[in-house]
Amino acid sequence: HIQNFAALCRDEVPMVRRIASHSMGQLLQAVAETVGGQSINEDGMITSTLLPLYEELASSNQPDSVRLQTTENCVAFGKAVTFLSTRDETTKHDKERTNVLVQKILPLIVSTIDDRSWRVRWTAASKFADVIHAFEELPGAMDELVAAYEKLLQDPEAEVRSAATFNLSEVAKSSALVLRSPTAVSDGARFSVAERLVKRVTSLTEDDSEHVRAALAMVATELAPVLGKDATITHLVPPLLLLLRDSASQVRLNLISSLSALNEVIGVDLLSQSLLPAILDLAEDGKWRIRLAIIQNIPLLAKQLGKDFFSEKLSSLCVGWLADDISSIRQAAAHNLKELTVLFGDEWAMSLLIPSLADIKQHPSYLRRLTSVQACSLMATVMQPETARTEMLPMVLEMASDIVPNIRFNVAKGLEIMAPICGSAVCDSQLRPVLAMLEEDEDRDVRYFATKAIDAIDTLYGGGDGTPSKK
């Protein structure tokens, strides 16, 4: 069977060789488990047959479709060799033979780092964490592999760098100790893989590709539990601050959504001292799109930081956005309060948000009063019905007599979306009389939205006299 497989690996048709190469890992594992240590003797199946086949299939003479399997086969060899070297019955001779095999296999995987095809390099980059974990228990392997991984992080192709960056945290979790750098052989001092790779994070924050920086923002905080508190504060937090100020919103979003791992290591107090100032700076940025991106990410940040910390440090900021000069910011701020109410609950909103909204609705600027109406209406839709009826509805109804038509028709729009949570009885006793008044308003826009709201209530609950709607 092995000879038949070898014939397929040398078939003249590339598709056949590709499929044979794809199956090599399963065959290798089966041979290692069945034959055991004898398979790595000089005349064993792995040494005499499978390894030469692997070398042939990984050769630069093979087409890309065949070389794409090199990394997966490397993982299979690493797992097989690790299995053979860690068995209870493993002899000193077996360990010597495995070391020889490792020295033959490593150059093949390292060669994929410099392959002429970016697809081959991308495959190596996307699976390199598996390579690391397959070889981490084998002596002499990790120094070479970590150096190869660092080269992937600097690949000319952004797709390859992105794939390598996605594996950063998994590679860093390796328990092996490596030299501080490829040139630091003289002192012989060894450090964790995470301590070595964290030095690469700063350079990745300056990468030209947004996709690389977005990948880094997604996984960088996962280095914190591996590095520990002191190393995280010294080496990891500074590049994270750079990512938080990145021009691409997706980069900032990825970082904010992954802060929980960092919070668990350095604590919320240190997190506030290091990252909160940057968030506050962005919240007041002169470019309104930057402010908008921060507002959109606030619910994620609130979830990471928790109710108490968020209430103390950032709740006033969220209310302050309702007074922004840019309409899009004010609208986003109103929706933001709705999301925070969902996250922290009615009592939190009543304590920290509603008093500020009550003050805003008395503001001389009609734009501020308008934002208050919109925020109240949106928040009411996610509150408990009783809270919405007793706390939010009176604030909206009070604005129905505002002197500015734009506010009056937004009251009508707000009552329309609040109707489902208010219930039929409240709609009949409180919403319909106000909407009927607005239907007689001198402004045609107000009349239009009032009629539209009444029609929506009729559809939902039936006519005002309790009869079903005829529509």
Side-chain angles (χ1 to χ4, degrees):
H1 294 298
I2 294 293
Q3 296 309 315
N4 290 336
F5 179 77
L8 291 172
C9 289
R10 297 186 175 103
D11 194 276
E12 62 181 10
V13 179
M15 182 66 74
V16 175
R17 299 200 300 274
R18 182 179 72 84
I19 297 300
S21 180
H22 181 70
S23 303
M24 178 177 284
Q26 292 179 332
L27 178 62
L28 180 67
Q29 194 68 31
V31 169
E33 293 176 357
T34 304
V35 181
Q38 295 180 0
S39 63
I40 57 175
N41 291 335
E42 291 186 7
D43 58 348
M45 288 186 188
I46 292 180
T47 306
S48 64
T49 304
L50 294 179
L51 183 57
L53 287 175
Y54 177 40
E55 292 173 336
E56 290 180 33
L57 293 171
S59 168
S60 60
N61 297 325
Q62 296 286 355
D64 295 358
S65 60
V66 177
R67 300 201 312 279
L68 284 173
Q69 307 300 321
T70 300
T71 305
E72 288 190 8
N73 287 335
C74 175
V75 174
F77 267 98
K79 290 180 178 179
V81 172
T82 300
F83 168 76
L84 293 173
S85 64
T86 56
R87 297 178 308 156
D88 293 337
E89 62 269 25
T90 299
T91 64
K92 182 179 179 181
H93 174 72
D94 289 340
K95 291 184 177 180
E96 291 175 354
R97 293 303 305 164
T98 57
N99 291 339
V100 172
L101 279 177
V102 168
Q103 296 309 312
K104 290 183 177 181
I105 296 168
L106 285 180
L108 299 176
I109 182 60
V110 172
S111 67
T112 62
I113 309 306
D114 297 312
D115 196 278
R116 64 180 182 272
S117 169
W118 75 268
R119 291 197 306 148
V120 175
R121 302 198 305 275
W122 180 88
T123 302
S126 62
K127 298 180 181 296
F128 216 85
D130 294 334
V131 174
I132 291 291
H133 294 309
F135 283 87
E136 64 182 345
E137 296 183 20
L138 300 174
M142 290 302 294
D143 285 324
E144 202 166 346
L145 287 176
V146 171
Y149 176 70
E150 289 176 320
K151 197 168 184 179
L152 283 172
L153 292 173
Q154 304 170 68
D155 192 272
E157 295 292 337
E159 289 85 352
V160 177
R161 299 197 302 275
S162 296
T165 303
F166 271 120
N167 277 273
L168 180 64
S169 61
E170 289 300 318
V171 172
K173 291 176 183 177
S174 171
S175 58
L177 297 178
V178 294
L179 296 171
R180 184 182 293 275
S181 68
T183 58
V185 181
S186 56
D187 59 6
R190 292 191 169 271
F191 303 87
S192 70
V193 177
E195 288 177 300
R196 176 163 164 176
L197 291 181
V198 74
K199 307 294 177 57
R200 296 286 177 184
V201 174
T202 300
S203 61
L204 289 172
T205 62
E206 302 169 354
D207 196 280
D208 294 334
S209 170
E210 174 186 332
H211 299 291
V212 175
R213 302 196 306 275
L216 177 65
M218 190 176 294
V219 302
T221 57
E222 295 178 17
L223 292 175
V226 186
L227 289 169
K229 184 175 181 178
D230 294 338
T232 295
I233 295 172
T234 303
H235 300 296
L236 188 59
V237 169
L240 292 183
L241 291 174
L242 296 177
L243 290 175
L244 197 58
R245 292 184 171 92
D246 196 276
S247 59
S249 59
Q250 189 62 48
V251 176
R252 299 192 298 270
L253 172 63
N254 287 354
L255 180 61
I256 289 174
S257 63
S258 63
L259 283 179
S260 58
L262 187 65
N263 183 25
E264 291 173 2
V265 174
I266 68 174
V268 71
D269 291 334
L270 285 175
L271 183 65
S272 66
Q273 294 174 20
S274 56
L275 296 183
L276 189 60
I279 294 173
L280 293 176
D281 287 344
L282 290 172
E284 299 174 356
D285 194 275
K287 298 179 180 178
W288 70 269
R289 286 183 175 85
I290 300 294
R291 301 199 302 276
L292 180 61
I294 289 295
I295 293 174
Q296 292 170 341
N297 294 333
I298 281 293
L300 284 173
L301 185 62
K303 190 174 182 180
Q304 303 288 337
L305 298 178
K307 182 191 294 187
D308 294 338
F309 179 85
F310 186 86
S311 301
E312 179 183 354
K313 303 292 185 180
L314 293 174
S315 61
S316 59
L317 180 66
C318 294
V319 175
W321 277 318
L322 295 173
D324 197 278
D325 292 334
I326 303 299
S327 174
S328 297
I329 298 293
R330 296 195 300 272
Q331 292 177 15
H335 283 276
N336 188 41
L337 297 186
K338 172 187 173 182
E339 296 299 324
L340 292 174
T341 302
V342 173
L343 186 62
F344 293 144
D346 295 2
E347 292 186 6
W348 179 85
M350 291 172 60
S351 173
L352 294 175
L353 301 182
I354 293 179
S356 298
L357 290 175
D359 293 338
I360 294 174
K361 73 182 181 67
Q362 305 294 337
H363 197 279
S365 170
Y366 87 93
L367 292 175
R368 308 293 188 268
R369 302 199 302 275
L370 174 60
T371 306
S372 176
V373 171
Q374 294 170 338
C376 289
S377 303
L378 289 170
M379 290 169 60
T381 62
V382 295
M383 288 181 163
Q384 294 295 323
E386 182 63 25
T387 305
R389 289 192 293 263
T390 58
E391 300 293 336
M392 309 308 292
L393 181 58
M395 294 174 65
V396 176
L397 293 175
E398 183 181 343
M399 302 299 288
S401 58
D402 195 279
I403 60 173
V404 178
N406 203 355
I407 292 179
R408 298 199 298 274
F409 78 64
N410 272 276
V411 168
K413 292 167 67 175
L415 293 178
E416 179 180 347
I417 66 172
M418 293 174 67
I421 201 167
C422 287
S424 177
V426 173
C427 283
D428 289 342
S429 63
Q430 298 187 53
L431 272 65
R432 286 184 186 277
V434 172
L435 290 171
M437 178 188 71
L438 295 176
E439 268 194 312
E440 304 297 327
D441 196 275
E442 60 184 15
D443 186 274
R444 64 180 182 180
D445 290 332
V446 177
R447 295 196 300 270
Y448 169 78
F449 284 106
T451 301
K452 184 173 178 291
I454 290 176
D455 289 344
I457 294 175
D458 287 344
T459 301
L460 185 63
Y461 296 117
D465 57 358
T467 61
S469 173
K470 297 180 180 179
K471 295 186 179 183

